Amino acid sequence: MAELLKGKPIADKIKEDLKKEIEGLKSKTGSSPKLVAVQIGENASSAVYLKAQKNTAESLGIEYILNNLSENTKQDEAEKLIDTLNKDKAVSAIILQLPVPKQIDAKKLVNLISPIKDAEGMHPGNLGQVLLGNWKLAPCTASACMALIESTGINLYGKEAVIVGHSEIVGKPLSLMLLSKFATTTVCHIATGERGVLPEHVKRAEVLVVAVGKAGLIKGEWVKRGSIVIDVGINKVGDTIVGDVEFDKASQQAAYITPVPGGVGPLTTTMLMKNTVEAFKAQKVK
Ligand code: NAD
């Protein structure tokens, strides 16, 4: 029976370290990190994330400001705000909340955030650092997956790692992070599924990360005995939230498995705070 790989204890440890670090930085620089969230329009689902961000930030001593622009904000108005925040020396880090209304080009806005203030690690400059194996600000969910994998104490050198899902926020950056640890890394995606070869890739995974968004996509019997399974998927089935992996059956096979909810989720916001502190240090500590 697999050991549950919960995000909260790991997040708590990172937050405890961050809190101490922030206190030290405060006495050294005379200022505190400040994270500014930009939300365009109203969105019920992101309200939950915003609340979690604000609570986590404030509990650590990070100032958190929400900048709420109206639903019909024009692209150039949003760009102006990003420019102002980039220039504001008191702002350490900026996050653009998704989704944005249809008249807004989110990618363009993210690319306009100064790479040194990029709380989500999604600026091409920061993604480039992930490719070079030398990152400071990396995509939060990919970092959360790495923290979970590394918490097991596994030496990734030469291990078979299989990622299902090749998004820019999870699969692609995570594949580079795993490569930097010399894991033999395979990335599967929709075409792998359509070709019918997903089971054969999953079956040899010693480390399996699934980030698709389809409940039950990964059958329990495909999961390799003794493996580490990180389930990033969030799917609403009836009144419950489940991942992409058949949890009960996969638990019989794996050595470690993340619960959904309670695995990757609690760590993602923590990684946002870690990036904010890194951004603050890069700007204020010489
Ligand atoms: P996405 O929605 O951008 O892309 C989905 C990926 O799955 C693509 O690479 C696609 O090719 C692949 N895919 C689709 N059908 C497939 C199939 N049948 N077989 C194999 N691959 C298939 O991905 P995303 O934004 O990374 O989100 C993935 C899931 O992770 C979602 O459920 C999302 O809600 C969740 N998520 C959770 C967190 C968290 O903090 N826990 C953070 C980000 C995303």
Side-chain angles (χ1 to χ4, degrees), residues 61-76:
I62 296 173
E63 194 185 339
Y64 182 88
I65 305 284
L66 172 62
N67 231 305
N68 215 160
L69 301 182
S70 77
E71 184 74 34
N72 43 26
T73 299
K74 296 196 178 73
Q75 176 77 18
D76 64 329

Side-chain angles (χ1 to χ4, degrees), residues 52-234:
Q53 284 171 13
K54 185 175 163 62
N55 290 343
T56 310
E58 289 175 354
S59 73
L60 299 177
I62 296 173
E63 194 185 339
Y64 182 88
I65 305 284
L66 172 62
N67 231 305
N68 215 160
L69 301 182
S70 77
E71 184 74 34
N72 43 26
T73 299
K74 296 196 178 73
Q75 176 77 18
D76 64 329
E77 290 168 337
E79 289 180 9
K80 241 180 236 157
L81 174 63
I82 300 290
D83 186 49
T84 306
L85 296 172
N86 281 340
K87 287 178 181 149
D88 186 340
K89 288 196 166 60
V91 174
S92 322
I94 305 163
I95 173 175
L96 174 69
Q97 303 291 342
L98 298 177
V100 291
K102 54 183 182 316
Q103 76 276 13
I104 298 291
D105 181 343
K107 207 158 205 168
K108 192 170 176 212
L109 283 186
V110 169
N111 291 356
L112 285 174
I113 295 175
S114 165
I116 210 171
K117 295 190 175 187
D118 171 28
E120 287 199 289
M122 287 305 296
H123 186 281
N126 289 320
L127 292 174
Q129 294 297 340
V130 178
L131 183 133
L132 296 170
N134 185 31
W135 63 90
K136 286 246 185 315
L137 303 180
C140 300
T141 311
S143 297
C145 293
M146 274 312 268
L148 284 160
I149 294 166
E150 288 180 331
S151 75
T152 66
I154 188 181
N155 178 2
L156 286 165
Y157 196 87
K159 290 288 189 311
E160 289 285 341
V162 175
I163 302 168
V164 187
H166 75 321
S167 69
E168 285 164 13
I169 60 164
V170 192
K172 283 184 189 171
L174 183 62
S175 69
L176 296 168
M177 290 173 169
L178 288 165
L179 271 180
S180 76
K181 301 285 179 191
F182 288 90
T184 306
T185 307
T186 305
V187 183
C188 304
H189 41 69
I190 183 76
T192 320
E194 284 174 359
R195 200 175 162 213
V197 291
L198 198 54
E200 70 191 58
H201 287 290
V202 170
K203 278 178 182 171
R204 57 181 168 71
E206 293 170 290
V207 176
L208 174 67
V209 182
V210 189
V212 173
K214 288 184 180 162
L217 175 72
I218 305 298
K219 305 296 168 216
E221 62 265 26
W222 300 351
V223 170
K224 191 178 174 70
R225 193 159 280 279
S227 60
I228 298 170
V229 178
I230 310 293
D231 191 349
V232 187
I234 301 174

